[in-house]
Structure formats: structure tokens, C-alpha cells
Amino acid sequence: LVSRWKIFDNLRRSLVAPSALLWLLAAWTLLPGVPVVWTALVASIFLFPVYSTFMTGRWMHRRGMTWRGHVAHGLREFRVQLAQIVLTLAFLPQQAWTQLDAIFRVFYRRLVSGKGFLEWMAFAQLQSAAATPVSFLEFFRPGPLTAILSGAGAAYLRPEALPAASPFLLAWFLSPWLKRWIARKPQVRRLDLGPSEKLEFRGYARLTWRFFETFVT
């Protein structure tokens, strides 16, 4: 029963990005009420990891860590999670298109063609494709194309929704450049640990060794 539930949950998650994108497009064109409220509701769903981690991390103070270090660690985690959420929303049209493409391919191959069940693309191929310069054809990808069509539809059907839609439309339009920027190889810098950092890591090592010393007999 648990395995079947996991399969169902994977199928449910494959519809999150298309549903969120459809919700945003409807909020900017069709749904009654204030577009900012509908847009904020979508954003609040994606922001759940931030406030859930904040509420749990506020009370889960690690033994041996100062409160200053605990707060600094929480702020670092907050920045990382916030950046991940911004990237998720920026690549929402690309993600929705990829998932819908996968769903329709599965239905076609299972019910019609009966071929291509084991077709897949290696991660190295995706990396090499991400490293190529931005070309004119990128504007026919889901991100920029969705931004252009959505902006035009909102301007025609509901101009008052443009302030709420503008951050999303800008991020979707710039997503090809954002993708190239993320794909850059980071510069590796070697930094020496200070005395307090060495002491902190030795504390982690002692706690780790104590775990095995206690439970591995």
C-alpha cells in the first residue's frame, strides 16, 4: 500500500508545475477578484519550505552550537531556500512543458506505439546543451514564449493584473540567460580554517565518532 501511495504521489507531483502555471495565467486573465491575491496564493505554496524550516529550526537548537552560530546557519539556509524558490518560479513554464511532454509521451507509447519505453538522455548531454550560448531559437522555448503570450493576454484582457504578473513575466523571459548563468562553473577558492572553525569541526567529528562508538558494538 505504501509503494502504491508513492507511485500516486509521484503522479500527483508531475501535475504541480502545469497546475501552478495554469493558475497564474487564469489569475491574470479570467479569475474574479484581485490578481495580486491569486498570485500571492500561488507563491505561498512554493514558499512553504521557507516558513516550515523557519518554524522548526527556530526551536531545534543543535547541542554544542552557540545561538549566534545557530541564527547564522538559519539565515544561510533561508537564503539558499529562497534562491531555490525564485529559480523554481523562473523555470515554471519550462518545468510545466517538460512534465506535460513526459505525460503525453508515456500515454502515446503505452497505448499507441508500444515503442521507446527505455529512451532516456544522459546528464552529460544536458550539461553540454546548457553550456551553449543563447540563440534566437531560445525565444521559442517555453519560458520566453509563455512570457510574451501571457503578457499580451493580460494586457488585452486585464491590464490591472500587469503589476502582479510583471515579476513572473520578466523572470520567464530572462530564463534562458538565467539558465546559462547557473550553468557556469564556479571558481574554486581555497580558504584556510580559523581556530574557532577547526574547533567546531572537531566537535562534529567527536560527536560522529561517539555515535559509532556507542551503537556499533
Side-chain angles (χ1 to χ4, degrees):
L1 184 62
V2 173
S3 299
R4 291 179 180 273
W5 169 256
K6 290 179 180 179
I7 294 174
F8 170 77
D9 189 56
N10 285 334
L11 296 175
R12 180 208 48 92
R13 283 190 293 161
S14 66
L15 296 174
V16 170
S19 302
L21 180 62
L22 185 62
W23 188 349
L24 287 173
L25 298 181
W28 302 333
T29 54
L30 301 174
L31 293 178
V34 183
V36 176
V37 176
W38 290 112
T39 306
L41 286 174
V42 179
S44 66
I45 295 174
F46 289 92
L47 285 171
F48 178 77
V50 170
Y51 47 78
S52 65
T53 303
F54 173 76
M55 293 303 296
T56 56
R58 182 179 178 181
W59 307 110
M60 295 177 61
H61 177 257
R62 188 181 302 167
R63 191 178 67 175
M65 177 184 287
T66 63
W67 278 102
R68 182 178 179 182
H70 176 68
V71 173
H73 175 74
L75 290 176
R76 286 196 299 268
E77 290 292 322
F78 172 77
R79 287 196 297 266
V80 170
Q81 288 183 333
L82 192 61
Q84 291 174 341
I85 292 168
V86 170
L87 291 177
T88 300
L89 292 174
F91 295 125
L92 188 62
Q94 178 70 43
Q95 188 73 10
W97 170 260
T98 302
Q99 292 175 347
L100 289 176
D101 177 69
I103 291 171
F104 285 115
R105 283 177 188 266
V106 167
F107 275 108
Y108 176 77
R109 292 173 182 176
R110 291 282 296 176
L111 303 178
V112 180
S113 69
K115 300 178 181 179
F117 290 159
L118 299 179
E119 184 181 76
W120 62 287
M121 180 177 289
F123 182 68
Q125 292 175 285
L126 293 175
Q127 278 191 317
S128 61
T132 58
V134 178
S135 64
F136 177 76
L137 294 178
E138 291 284 357
F139 287 99
F140 296 97
R141 298 290 180 89
L145 190 59
T146 303
I148 294 172
L149 295 179
S150 303
Y156 178 73
L157 297 173
R158 203 173 192 181
E160 65 272 17
L162 286 177
S166 296
F168 294 86
L169 299 177
L170 182 62
W172 296 349
F173 186 80
L174 298 177
S175 59
W177 287 277
L178 185 60
K179 183 180 179 181
R180 299 295 181 265
W181 181 70
I182 295 174
R184 295 183 308 168
K185 292 184 178 181
Q187 296 180 353
V188 179
R189 294 189 303 165
R190 180 179 176 85
L191 299 176
D192 295 327
L193 297 177
S196 61
E197 293 171 321
K198 290 181 180 179
L199 185 64
E200 182 179 359
F201 282 115
R202 284 172 181 160
Y204 295 152
R206 285 195 298 271
L207 289 173
T208 305
W209 181 258
R210 182 182 178 184
F211 171 85
F212 290 102
E213 198 174 39
T214 303
F215 296 104
V216 182
T217 60

